[in-house]
Amino acid sequence: MEKTVDAMTSEAKFPVLLTPLPGPKAREVIARDAQFISPSYTRGYPLVAKSGRGAMVEDVDGNLFLDFAAGIAVVSTGHCHPRVVEAIQRQAAELIHISGTDFYLPNMVDLAERLAAVAPGKEAKKVYFGNSGTEAVEAAIKLAKYHTRRDKIIAFHGCFHGRTLGALSLTASKAVQRKGFGALLAGVFHIPYPNSYRCPYGNPSPCTCVESATFLEREIFKRLVDPEEVAAIFIEPIQGEGGYVPAPKEFLVELQRICRKHGILLVCDEVQSGMGRTGKWWACDHAGIEPDILCVAKGIASGMPLSATIARASLMDWKPGAHASTFGGNPVCVAAALATMDLLETQYIENARRVGGFLMGRMADWPARHRIVGDVRGKGLLIGVEIVRDQKTKERAGDLREAIVDLAFEKGLLLLGAGENTIRIAPPLIIDEEQAAFAAKTLEACISEVEKSA
């Protein structure tokens, strides 16, 4: 008996391409999209998704792709994990919405308790729920200002914290994200991010970049703003849109020391790096630091819209009505998150650590073997491959990166760029070593092909 497409998709582990890309049905959707959808979206290549199972995505023409983008690191347990789907269906049949802003929801309390238990630090935590990473950051900005009664914020060059006006004021990733929107939030200062490969102070790589932290006391607090006016410092322990750049442990420890010395709240934006993606619950766990506020989203609910702002209970002291959300903590999304946490802590965080280590082992020597690969970096299944025109000058090669990502798509491997010239590797945390080996082999072949014409 001939297998259904759904059965084939659930069993497939590698790409199967049946048509030229994009296929005829995909071209039709793309044409309609151009007519009706906002042009502000950034589409890299013409994937028109129809369904997904595990680490595989089927397009509208029946082509199967191995997904190493995971919806921008969102589908942590893979596409349509049966236990997540079951949790969503069960909750949807019982209660879809009533708003945790106005009433009480048992599973919202359950999720808050579980998130508080795995958040860094021994002090008790409280949790605010929103719908997206941007909302988690907005809540953190407001909470920091409310609690400290200070109005200044410090963030980093290359960071991405979201696109709503408050979060956008912190974002310093690409000028196009700010252009045309006028004045943003006042009192925000940006300093160099600690890039071990591209030390902002000219030190040879790899570098601990501790100067990026001490720069605060040497320059910012002396010349621009008194530390007693600074409410919070926002940091991505591993920059996402900035190019998958891990902050060195030494830097993060020093940054925490400075924050505590001056009564400044340390906010870790783990929207992309959290929920087990690095082989630990949080990327900041690798440095042993304890942020005052943690921003969480993306992988928290395996694709359902949900975010959490987790803070020390003693500082989450705002009054009823100070901040709220109609849909934040929606019971269906929370059910998906609870199922996701079960899967992460019993299987997939460890799998991210193990398979991520396997992938790094396959890729670590690429700079020695490929002249356009400048750096391979990351933790767990959050890995960046930086593409350069020249390894000595480290000239960024965004055009070559785009060519590699496009070529990978043509071979059935879904990837995304990050920053100006980095390839991000962020598959579902369920992938096995066979899929990791296939992806590494395919990506290296694409690099080699582009390299020949560079």
Side-chain angles (χ1 to χ4, degrees):
M1 181 180 294
E2 185 177 348
K3 293 183 179 179
T4 65
V5 171
D6 186 70
M8 290 173 60
T9 306
S10 64
E11 294 176 8
K13 291 179 62 176
F14 307 105
V16 178
L17 302 179
L18 305 177
T19 72
L21 301 176
K25 293 181 180 178
R27 290 196 299 271
E28 180 184 349
V29 173
I30 291 167
R32 292 173 56 227
D33 181 283
Q35 184 177 0
F36 295 109
I37 299 295
S38 167
S40 61
Y41 298 147
T42 55
R43 272 64 174 271
Y45 45 79
L47 172 72
V48 181
K50 175 188 175 185
S51 65
R53 295 291 185 278
M56 304 304 298
V57 171
E58 178 195 354
D59 77 359
V60 290
D61 292 290
N63 299 298
L64 296 180
F65 300 85
L66 178 59
D67 186 2
F68 261 54
I72 318 182
V74 167
V75 287
S76 50
T77 62
H79 295 279
C80 302
H81 193 290
R83 287 179 59 181
V84 175
V85 171
E86 180 187 10
I88 291 170
Q89 291 174 332
R90 185 170 58 248
Q91 181 60 54
E94 187 170 274
L95 178 68
I96 291 178
H97 176 74
I98 198 170
S99 184
T101 289
D102 295 307
F103 304 105
Y104 299 92
L105 289 165
N107 71 349
M108 192 164 81
V109 179
D110 292 340
L111 179 59
E113 184 176 11
R114 290 188 65 175
L115 288 170
V118 298
K122 295 180 180 179
E123 186 177 331
K125 308 293 190 301
K126 287 192 175 182
V127 182
Y128 169 85
F129 289 111
N131 304 286
S132 67
T134 299
E135 290 187 30
V137 170
E138 290 281 351
I141 293 171
K142 292 178 68 175
L143 178 59
K145 290 189 171 190
Y146 186 99
H147 176 76
T148 64
R149 295 299 189 260
R150 302 176 179 185
D151 66 344
K152 306 298 191 298
I153 302 286
I154 293 173
F156 290 83
H157 296 154
C159 68
F160 183 88
H161 295 293
R163 288 187 172 92
T164 53
L165 283 177
L168 182 62
S169 304
L170 273 60
T171 292
S173 178
K174 298 173 183 175
V176 67
Q177 294 162 348
R178 287 168 159 249
K179 184 179 180 181
F181 298 114
L184 300 178
L185 192 66
V188 176
F189 302 86
H190 289 88
I191 64 174
Y193 187 84
N195 188 328
S196 179
Y197 174 63
R198 295 178 178 275
C199 176
Y201 302 97
N203 297 328
S205 62
C207 172
T208 61
C209 297
V210 171
E211 294 97 328
S212 287
T214 58
F215 181 77
L216 284 164
E217 293 185 311
R218 286 186 290 108
E219 297 291 335
I220 301 298
F221 294 162
K222 286 183 179 180
R223 305 179 189 280
L224 294 178
V225 59
D226 190 293
E228 292 185 0
E229 293 186 312
V230 178
I233 297 176
F234 281 69
I235 178 77
E236 294 171 276
I238 300 179
Q239 274 199 344
E241 299 299 312
Y244 275 30
V245 183
K249 175 181 179 179
E250 296 85 349
F251 162 83
L252 290 171
V253 170
E254 179 65 10
L255 183 66
Q256 179 175 262
R257 181 196 69 78
I258 292 171
C259 285
R260 289 180 174 174
K261 175 183 175 181
H262 297 285
I264 299 168
L265 299 180
L266 177 60
V267 182
C268 281
D269 180 341
E270 296 249 14
V271 168
Q272 190 158 179
S273 61
M275 297 307 296
R277 176 153 292 280
T278 66
K280 293 181 181 287
W281 272 112
W282 318 107
C284 64
D285 287 339
H286 293 275
I289 63 170
E290 299 178 2
D292 299 291
I293 303 175
L294 197 67
C295 298
V296 186
K298 289 193 184 293
I300 191 173
S302 296
M304 296 295 285
L306 182 69
S307 67
T309 305
I310 308 170
R312 291 189 290 106
S314 60
L315 73 84
M316 194 173 274
D317 55 0
W318 44 16
K319 306 302 180 185
H323 195 56
S325 167
T326 300
F327 293 104
N330 170 272
V332 180
C333 299
V334 168
L338 288 166
T340 297
M341 287 193 74
D342 287 341
L343 292 164
L344 292 178
E345 61 190 8
T346 58
Q347 302 177 58
Y348 298 138
I349 293 179
E350 170 57 22
N351 192 64
R353 184 199 63 78
R354 183 179 58 82
V355 180
F358 171 81
L359 257 178
M360 284 295 289
R362 292 287 298 264
M363 300 163 61
D365 67 345
W366 283 7
R369 295 194 291 112
H370 296 282
R371 60 182 174 82
I372 65 170
V373 177
D375 193 30
V376 178
R377 56 191 177 238
K379 295 183 184 298
L381 289 175
L382 188 99
I383 299 172
V385 179
E386 183 161 346
I387 304 301
V388 297
R389 205 167 305 279
D390 183 280
Q391 290 183 339
K392 290 183 180 180
T393 65
K394 300 182 181 179
E395 180 187 350
R396 301 180 189 272
D399 57 333
L400 301 184
R401 188 272 307 276
E402 292 304 306
I404 292 167
V405 170
D406 289 347
L407 188 57
F409 169 64
E410 293 172 10
K411 296 179 183 294
L413 177 64
L414 303 181
L415 296 166
L416 288 171
E420 294 180 56
N421 59 313
T422 298
I423 300 165
R424 79 175 87 194
I425 296 174
L429 307 189
I430 68 170
I431 63 162
D432 59 26
E433 289 188 2
E434 282 186 299
Q435 291 170 313
F438 174 88
K441 182 179 179 181
T442 301
L443 177 54
E444 186 171 19
C446 295
I447 290 171
S448 295
E449 189 169 335
V450 171
E451 191 172 56
K452 290 177 182 177
S453 59

